Amino acid sequence: MRPGAAALAFSCLIVLGAGPPVPPPPLPARMAHTGGGTQLITAVAPSRASTTGTVTWWDRSDGRWVKRGSAPARFGANGLVAGAGRKQGTNTTPTGLYGLPYAFGIKAAPRGTAYPYRRVHQNSWWCQDNDSRSYNRWSEPRAADCRAAEAEHLIGYSTQYAHALVVGFNYERPVRGRGAGIFLHVDGRGATAGCVSVPEEAMRRILVWVNPARRPHIAVGTRSGSTSVTRL
């Protein structure tokens, strides 16, 4: 090596190593599946025992995923569990990738909302009765075979259900005993009974952003492990 070459090589290494680290791909790009649409909500907790985490909403534009907003999130009082093995009444949030059938609320939809939005009335219920033909469905009025003790009277949750999105967990072909009434809704006082919740302002922003023509989904999971959001 000619004189000074070693010093020059060392100098080059310093320059090359001084650049900023390459950021990892955005979360949706690292997921096994995102539902096939061009909008995605991710709800991620640090671990299965967590009751808090982050909700982020993303657009796919020009072949890449772009973050549009995020907010602190709350999960079930008993953490998260794989959706396929969840049991009703366990206060756990089911992990998985789900569609978003429609939105609803006690309050009127925020101006600019394009998503199908159903207003809550005095006789609006969500049936969670495993013996009812209306299991895991909106029931208005409450179905005769759906016991009031096994249903949510939606108007009674004035804070949480000011605005909400139905999460398609156990929805298309309901399995009795797996769980009913899983929503993305407004924060209450603490952890949820199995839903995902965010501050009201974030919920309103999500409703204005979400577009049914773009086939949005929600991915609920943990940062790592068997319920990692990247494995969905």
Side-chain angles (χ1 to χ4, degrees):
M1 183 177 291
R2 68 181 183 277
L8 178 61
F10 182 69
S11 169
C12 290
L13 285 173
I14 292 177
V15 171
L16 290 172
V22 177
L27 178 57
R30 292 180 276 127
M31 291 173 55
H33 193 44
T34 58
T38 58
Q39 285 189 328
L40 181 70
I41 300 171
T42 55
V44 183
S47 70
R48 290 177 62 161
S50 301
T51 59
T52 60
T54 304
V55 159
T56 307
W57 48 105
W58 310 79
D59 280 324
R60 187 165 177 82
S61 178
D62 296 326
R64 61 190 184 95
W65 287 100
V66 179
K67 178 180 174 181
R68 295 304 187 195
S70 67
R74 293 172 177 169
F75 298 95
N78 288 323
L80 297 86
V81 68
R86 185 180 185 270
K87 301 296 182 184
Q88 186 163 323
T90 54
N91 289 341
T92 53
T93 297
T95 64
L97 180 67
Y98 306 109
L100 298 163
Y102 58 91
F104 69 90
I106 294 171
K107 295 182 180 181
R111 186 182 299 273
T113 299
Y115 221 70
Y117 190 92
R118 190 167 186 175
R119 288 296 297 275
V120 173
H121 301 109
Q122 185 61 42
N123 61 346
S124 303
W125 297 74
W126 194 276
C127 185
Q128 300 178 351
D129 190 333
N130 282 283
D131 296 325
S132 174
R133 288 174 295 179
S134 298
Y135 179 67
N136 203 19
R137 289 293 186 272
W138 183 294
S139 185
E140 186 176 330
R142 179 171 51 83
D145 68 346
C146 183
R147 295 167 288 174
E150 299 294 328
E152 278 195 344
H153 194 198
L154 298 177
I155 205 165
Y157 297 86
S158 57
T159 299
Q160 295 93 324
Y161 297 158
H163 303 292
L165 273 165
V166 176
V167 174
F169 166 74
N170 202 30
Y171 189 80
E172 292 298 327
R173 299 177 181 84
V175 176
R176 311 287 167 151
R178 183 164 290 172
I182 300 298
F183 312 126
L184 173 62
H185 64 67
V186 176
D187 284 338
R189 292 184 178 179
T192 74
C195 296
V196 179
S197 72
V198 293
E200 182 171 358
E201 178 55 31
M203 192 69 233
R204 293 176 65 87
R205 288 172 60 198
I206 290 169
L207 287 175
V208 173
W209 161 82
V210 72
N211 184 342
R214 299 183 65 181
R215 295 181 296 154
H217 288 71
I218 184 168
V220 183
T222 53
R223 289 180 187 166
S224 60
S226 61
T227 53
S228 168
V229 71
T230 58
R231 299 180 65 174
L232 300 180

